[in-house]
Amino acid sequence: QDNWDCGSWLSLVARNSISITRFVDRLQRSLPSSAPKEQATGVCSGMLLLTPSEDTYQGLIQHLASMESVPGGDQQVVDTYFKKIKNPVKLLEVETASFGQCVGKAIPGGFVPTFVHKSDWLNSCFHVDASAETCFAHPLGRYWHENFCSAISSAGIGGDHLNKFCSPEQAALWQWHRELLEAPGMRHEAGRSRNLWWLIGGTCVLALLLLVLLPASAPAAKPPGERGRMNL
């Protein structure tokens, strides 16, 4: 599912400002909610399961060549091609695969998805230039670092940058986050005290916004001398 907004219209509205998006994200994590299983109808190509086929490949190439424009990128090509051949893409449940920003707030049952696409809105953690300090707050920071470095070792890939990134000294800096109680595929629960403070703070901010907006939108009251008059 292309659930970039984690099934929340509020996240979709706030996506043009990363500061507002982060505030809305933290506020949503502090509120009790029931996350739906179906959060989007679009296809996300962050994870696809395809049967290798020369016919499918050629069909995708020909379909792309016939399109006037592709504003939705590869996802649009894949989605529209399989709809064209009457075999639409079947979407995975968010418990199986989801965006990193949805972990801990928009996965039914509070589970960590088996496959997590990007670490957050900006993918600030799951890349080779990420730092332990940046990823400390992410529940999957060290989990990603360990698996990435294990893959590098198994593949025999090296270089000064990667060797430093995966050195024992760096590995010691990547600590397990206190909110990751179980491995991916198991239940994840956020710290209650932090959520309580965000709930209180978010409620205060919303109350202030209502106080500012409501008086400005309310109709002006008539002067006392005009209330009883009638037009003749």
Side-chain angles (χ1 to χ4, degrees):
Q1 301 181 36
D2 190 13
N3 64 324
W4 183 92
D5 58 1
C6 306
S8 170
W9 64 268
L10 192 58
S11 296
L12 180 62
V13 172
R15 69 182 301 173
N16 292 324
S17 169
I18 189 59
S19 298
I20 297 177
T21 295
R22 285 173 174 167
F23 173 79
V24 169
D25 177 73
R26 292 182 179 179
L27 178 60
Q28 288 172 329
R29 293 178 185 277
S30 69
L31 299 172
S33 62
S34 178
K37 286 182 174 291
E38 294 184 4
Q39 299 178 3
T41 57
V43 174
C44 176
S45 59
M47 178 180 176
L48 289 173
L49 178 61
L50 297 171
T51 300
S53 168
E54 179 69 21
D55 291 339
T56 299
Y57 171 74
Q58 294 298 336
L60 284 166
I61 295 298
Q62 293 173 14
H63 178 63
L64 174 60
S66 69
M67 301 174 71
E68 294 183 359
S69 62
V70 191
D74 57 312
Q75 298 178 162
Q76 180 184 353
V77 177
V78 172
D79 189 21
T80 54
Y81 169 73
F82 284 101
K83 285 179 178 177
K84 179 180 177 181
I85 64 172
K86 309 300 181 183
N87 186 23
V89 176
K90 297 178 179 64
L91 302 179
L92 296 170
E93 294 182 344
V94 292
E95 297 96 326
T96 301
S98 188
F99 281 87
Q101 59 263 26
C102 303
V103 174
K105 75 170 185 179
I107 309 301
F111 289 90
V112 176
T114 307
F115 297 94
V116 178
H117 181 46
K118 301 182 179 180
S119 62
D120 51 29
W121 310 99
L122 299 177
N123 194 32
S124 56
C125 187
F126 295 173
H127 61 89
V128 293
D129 291 319
S131 66
E133 294 78 10
T134 301
C135 300
F136 175 76
H138 196 285
L140 296 175
R142 177 167 172 173
Y143 185 85
W144 173 84
H145 183 266
E146 284 192 348
N147 281 275
F148 176 82
C149 292
S150 176
I152 289 295
S153 176
S154 298
I157 301 174
D160 293 341
H161 186 68
L162 288 177
N163 291 339
K164 180 180 179 181
F165 186 73
C166 294
S167 66
E169 293 78 13
Q170 279 294 315
L173 298 176
W174 290 70
Q175 301 299 319
W176 287 114
H177 192 260
R178 60 185 174 83
E179 291 188 3
L180 183 63
L181 303 185
E182 300 288 348
M186 302 299 290
R187 188 175 298 278
H188 168 279
E189 299 196 8
R192 294 181 180 179
S193 59
R194 188 195 71 170
N195 284 350
L196 178 61
W197 283 112
W198 269 102
L199 175 59
I200 295 173
T203 303
C204 293
V205 171
L206 290 176
L208 288 174
L209 288 175
L210 289 175
L211 289 174
V212 172
L213 296 176
L214 289 180
S217 60
K222 292 184 178 180
E226 297 182 3
R227 291 179 182 175
R229 295 181 183 176
M230 294 181 62
N231 294 326
L232 300 177

